């Protein structure tokens, strides 16, 4: 069965520090992979996506993610975190022809000054 | 461009009451979705509609019904609300495998 695991429930980083949020998926073929961000009281906004091709993808707000097939991972990174990045981050997996997507349980990011 | 609009934003119900959550999108997308979000559980799919006139169950459909009224609108109905349905409900529409979400409806069932 398809699944997404975000092993870190909560992460705290200092402003200006680098960030990596982990995501592992379970799916036999080539997945479509997504990272969404949810600010408090808001809906989810797409940060970036991977469908095929270059395994390092760039997104909005200075985020990037790398697809590693051998590790079934799609980790999200940012070189320097800003206080406005404090939010909840969700990884999701889909596939061509799917009608359903599967979301991880989310990672809550706190940014301290 | 409004995107995906959900109404109401907040609702408090008593156990056994019924209500309909409304969702409309103005992006001409075929596919629409209803999710619920609970602490520590991420988003779970309740129902989806791949196109106008079709609906299918997701992971947690019990206690809910849906209607795809037209291409724009996809409503979620709770016939007899239960405290276990206290949650935040999100509607989404999809095109080219990308989902666009509404701002959510925060529902409390007492």
């Amino acid at each position: 069965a398809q699944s997404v695991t975000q092993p870190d429930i909560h992460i705290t980083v200092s402003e200006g520090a680098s960030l990596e949020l982990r995501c592992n998926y379970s799916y036999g073929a080539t997945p479509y992979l997504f990272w969404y961000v949810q600010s408090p009281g808001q809906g989810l906004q797409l940060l970036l996506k991977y469908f095929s091709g270059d395994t390092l993808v760039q997104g909005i707000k200075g985020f990037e993610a790398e697809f590693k097939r051998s590790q079934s991972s799609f980790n999200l990174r940012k070189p320097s975190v800003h206080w406005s990045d404090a939010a909840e981050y969700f990884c999701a997996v889909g596939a061509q022809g799917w009608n359903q997507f599967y979301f991880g349980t989310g990672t809550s990011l706190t940014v301290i000054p | 461009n409004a995107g995906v609009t959900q109404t109401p934003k907040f609702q408090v119900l008593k156990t056994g009451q019924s209500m309909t959550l409304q969702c409309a999108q103005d992006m001409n997308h075929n596919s629409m979705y209803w999710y619920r979000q609970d602490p520590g559980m991420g988003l779970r799919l309740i129902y989806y509609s791949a196109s106008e006139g079709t609906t299918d169950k997701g992971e947690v459909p019990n206690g809910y019904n849906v209607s795809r009224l037209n291409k724009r609108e996809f409503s979620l109905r709770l016939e007899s609300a239960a405290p276990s349905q206290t949650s935040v409900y999100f509607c989404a529409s999809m095109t080219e495998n990308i989902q666009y979400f509404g701002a959510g409806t925060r529902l409390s069932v007492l």
Side-chain angles (χ1 to χ4, degrees):
Chain A
Q2 301 80 12
S3 67
V4 178
T5 301
Q6 293 180 247
D8 303 307
I9 296 173
H10 185 248
I11 285 181
T12 300
V13 299
S14 298
E15 191 168 15
S18 63
L19 172 70
E20 183 170 27
L21 302 183
R22 296 182 291 166
C23 173
N24 292 95
Y25 67 90
S26 172
Y27 177 60
T30 300
Y32 293 165
L33 295 162
F34 308 84
W35 275 100
Y36 285 87
V37 61
Q38 183 183 30
S39 298
Q42 301 297 314
L44 278 71
Q45 179 186 19
L46 181 68
L47 278 177
L48 47 78
K49 65 186 185 298
Y50 171 80
F51 288 168
S52 65
D54 192 347
T55 57
L56 184 63
V57 295
Q58 303 296 321
I60 62 172
K61 305 183 180 185
F63 285 92
E64 66 178 27
E66 186 171 13
F67 170 54
K68 293 185 177 180
R69 184 188 302 275
S70 62
Q71 299 176 20
S72 297
S73 69
F74 189 57
N75 293 349
L76 181 71
R77 301 193 294 252
K78 187 170 184 178
S80 178
V81 171
H82 188 262
W83 64 266
S84 61
D85 293 325
E88 185 129 21
Y89 292 80
F90 292 93
C91 182
V93 64
Q96 186 176 11
W98 285 13
N99 286 315
Q100 300 189 40
F101 292 78
Y102 297 87
F103 285 80
T105 52
T107 298
S108 177
L109 175 65
T110 297
V111 181
I112 56 176
Chain B
N1 194 353
V4 179
T5 302
Q6 293 184 236
T7 55
K9 295 190 186 314
F10 302 94
Q11 185 71 47
V12 179
L13 294 178
K14 295 180 179 179
T15 297
Q17 287 185 317
S18 62
M19 79 160 295
T20 300
L21 281 64
Q22 306 287 352
C23 175
Q25 52 97 4
D26 61 3
M27 297 174 283
N28 203 37
H29 294 167
N30 286 322
S31 300
M32 297 186 73
Y33 300 78
W34 276 106
Y35 292 91
R36 60 177 289 171
Q37 183 181 31
D38 302 293
M41 303 192 74
L43 274 73
R44 293 182 293 169
L45 183 64
I46 304 171
Y47 272 93
Y48 67 95
S49 170
S51 62
E52 184 179 353
T54 68
T55 61
D56 285 285
K57 296 178 180 179
E59 181 184 355
V60 288
N62 291 345
Y64 305 95
N65 287 299
V66 291
S67 295
R68 183 74 183 266
L69 305 172
N70 46 55
K71 192 170 187 178
R72 290 187 65 249
E73 298 172 288
F74 188 38
S75 62
L76 178 71
R77 183 161 178 84
L78 287 70
E79 291 290 353
S80 178
S84 61
Q85 294 178 305
T86 293
S87 188
V88 181
Y89 292 85
F90 287 100
C91 177
S93 66
M94 184 177 78
T95 187
E96 299 181 347
N97 294 296
I98 297 172
Q99 293 191 323
Y100 298 84
F101 287 84
T105 295
R106 284 147 186 81
L107 175 67
S108 292
V109 183
L110 306 177

